[in-house]
Amino acid sequence: MLRVVLAQPRGFCAGVERAIEIVERALVKYGPPIYVRHEIVHNRHVVEDLRTRGAIFVDELDEIPTGATTIFSAHGVARVVEETASRRGLAVIDATCPLVAKVHNEGRRYAAAGREIVLIGHAGHAEVEGTIGQIPGKVHLVQTVADVAALTVADPEKLAYITQTTLSVDDTRQIIAALTERFPAIRGPDVRDICYATQNRQTAVHELAKAVDVILVVGSQNSSNSNRLREIGAELGKPSYLIDDASALRPDWFAGIASVGLTAGASAPETLVQEVIEGLRRFGAIEVTTLEGVAENVRFRFPPELADSEPAEASSF
């Protein structure tokens, strides 16, 4: 009998739920097609489901017809993207996660006070590109403690840092410690910019690792927070695998083990978790339990243009 232990919390966070429902509400209110710049959230299954309903996902704004209804993804966009959309007469609905928008506001506030900004984050990630593009003035991107040692700034007395919302809490603390040691006058928010959902899911993996032999994380390969969950499991000495869905399960992962932990990144729907549970039954009898954990009840407001509308039907997720 294989014991399957579910992490709590896992899966969708409030920002992801809001972003997906923004697309659903827009499809009902304005009718398809609705254009979405980049993936609304980093999950292939979610994107494909919305595509079947009439959402068209594009990489750049020039792929969108003039005047079309356009949604910015949960990761946020640079100011130049907002300005381009305005010039082209696009009817924009902003699905940027409110916690990402909070980081943008902090960065602009520090820049307005004359401080150079250090952004702790992953190069090339959509959220990082959007954040850098929201802040006037110099933004230094650091990804590791080694990057801090190599940092060259104009004035060590006029620095501030902000962080990507989906980082490893433990890794970020180390980078912040390196920054404050090298630049004692630097200002910043400790790890408070790492979103509540990211922190809760990482804490749950720490607990999961104490109880199981192997850890499975349901999430897409381009999902930052899902990758962090897998990395944490591995750092805690447990074989850990990031999988899109049940089709990725391999029997050799479970040979000779008694228990497997199962969690999901903040952009992965619970339906995929349940499908993985069913997939595990292919390898024999299982017993499913759930760890105690934080119960999340956060909800974010919708953009005013969609506040009074509803999706035509409940999300398939």
Side-chain angles (χ1 to χ4, degrees):
M1 174 82 69
L2 180 65
R3 189 165 58 92
V4 178
V5 183
L6 303 179
Q8 177 65 30
R10 63 183 181 274
F12 279 174
C13 64
V16 164
E17 289 180 341
R18 173 181 180 268
I20 294 169
E21 193 166 336
I22 283 172
V23 179
E24 293 173 336
R25 290 183 181 214
L27 284 166
V28 171
K29 183 171 183 177
Y30 303 110
I34 297 293
Y35 291 84
V36 184
R37 184 183 181 272
H38 293 170
E39 294 184 346
I40 187 67
V41 297
H42 282 158
N43 186 273
R44 176 173 59 85
H45 292 273
V46 171
V47 168
E48 288 303 318
D49 177 73
L50 293 173
R51 186 175 278 126
T52 65
R53 305 195 207 183
I56 297 176
F57 295 88
V58 301
D59 291 325
E60 301 300 339
L61 294 184
D62 60 12
E63 301 173 60
I64 303 175
T66 299
T69 301
T70 303
I71 296 175
F72 292 155
S73 79
H75 311 99
V77 300
R79 279 286 176 90
V80 66
V81 175
E82 296 174 339
E83 292 162 359
T84 301
S86 178
R87 281 198 308 273
R88 297 208 46 234
L90 302 179
V92 170
I93 304 169
D94 190 356
T96 300
C97 175
L99 299 180
V100 175
K102 174 177 171 284
V103 175
H104 294 173
N105 291 333
E106 287 178 341
R108 287 193 292 264
R109 189 170 65 249
Y110 285 132
R115 294 180 178 272
E116 282 183 71
I117 308 300
V118 178
L119 171 59
I120 305 171
H122 294 122
H125 190 276
E127 181 186 331
V128 166
E129 292 178 348
T131 299
I132 291 173
Q134 282 285 336
I135 299 171
K138 183 65 177 177
V139 178
H140 305 271
L141 179 64
V142 298
Q143 303 183 81
T144 64
V145 170
D147 289 343
V148 174
L151 202 56
T152 301
V153 301
D155 184 352
E157 300 299 313
K158 289 267 188 165
L159 278 181
Y161 68 83
I162 54 178
T163 79
Q164 183 181 335
T165 63
T166 54
L167 301 176
S168 160
V169 175
D170 295 335
D171 290 349
T172 304
R173 282 202 180 100
Q174 293 177 22
I175 296 172
I176 291 171
L179 283 168
T180 53
E181 181 177 1
R182 185 165 178 218
F183 306 108
I186 197 168
R187 300 278 183 85
D190 190 44
V191 293
R192 290 192 305 276
D193 278 348
I194 298 177
C195 89
Y196 77 93
T198 297
Q199 297 196 48
N200 288 346
R201 280 150 189 74
Q202 290 179 15
T203 298
V205 168
H206 277 268
E207 294 304 309
L208 201 59
K210 298 174 184 177
V212 300
D213 302 316
V214 171
I215 292 176
L216 302 177
V217 180
V218 180
S220 291
Q221 298 298 317
N222 63 339
S223 166
S224 177
N225 74 87
S226 299
N227 275 283
R228 299 296 80 72
L229 297 179
R230 188 208 63 77
E231 290 170 358
I232 289 168
E235 289 165 2
L236 294 170
K238 304 296 180 174
S240 299
Y241 305 98
L242 176 61
I243 58 173
D244 268 316
D245 52 39
S247 68
L249 294 171
R250 291 173 45 180
D252 54 295
W253 293 347
F254 314 111
I257 68 156
S259 58
V260 57
L262 181 56
T263 188
S267 50
E270 178 64 16
T271 53
L272 296 181
V273 174
Q274 297 304 316
E275 288 172 10
V276 169
I277 292 172
E278 290 308 306
L280 287 169
R281 296 186 194 279
R282 299 199 307 265
F283 310 127
I286 66 172
E287 175 190 37
V288 181
T289 60
T290 302
L291 285 181
E292 291 186 5
V294 175
E296 295 174 344
N297 54 11
V298 176
R299 292 282 291 172
F300 293 130
R301 293 179 181 176
F302 288 94
E305 58 266 51
L306 295 177
D308 297 328
S309 61
E310 296 289 343
E313 58 185 34
S315 168
S316 60
F317 300 121

